Amino acid sequence: MNQSRLQSVRKAQEAHRENIQKSLEHRLQVARAKGDEQLIRQLEAEMRYSG
């Protein structure tokens, strides 16, 4: 794989990871606003797992 392609793949992977993190943060905010303790624990665990 050439360097340009490799760099594009890495950028896409990083963008994907950032989007997942933002989605998790938003879902966690909503769960906290609703007081859904089970969902809060689940999302917090998912955030720890995803790093």
Side-chain angles (χ1 to χ4, degrees):
M1 197 177 298
N2 66 34
Q3 288 292 49
S4 178
R5 173 88 173 122
L6 193 56
Q7 188 176 18
S8 294
V9 168
R10 287 184 180 141
K11 283 183 180 181
Q13 288 172 333
E14 180 62 20
H16 181 65
R17 190 195 63 75
E18 288 176 5
N19 286 335
I20 290 172
Q21 187 69 24
K22 287 177 186 177
S23 175
L24 278 170
E25 289 171 0
H26 174 71
R27 291 169 59 204
L28 186 55
Q29 287 177 347
V30 172
R32 285 183 175 144
K34 291 182 176 183
D36 188 336
E37 293 299 323
Q38 182 178 352
L39 183 55
I40 291 168
R41 286 190 301 274
Q42 181 180 347
L43 292 170
E44 288 173 342
E46 191 173 337
M47 287 180 81
R48 284 190 299 275
Y49 178 77
S50 68

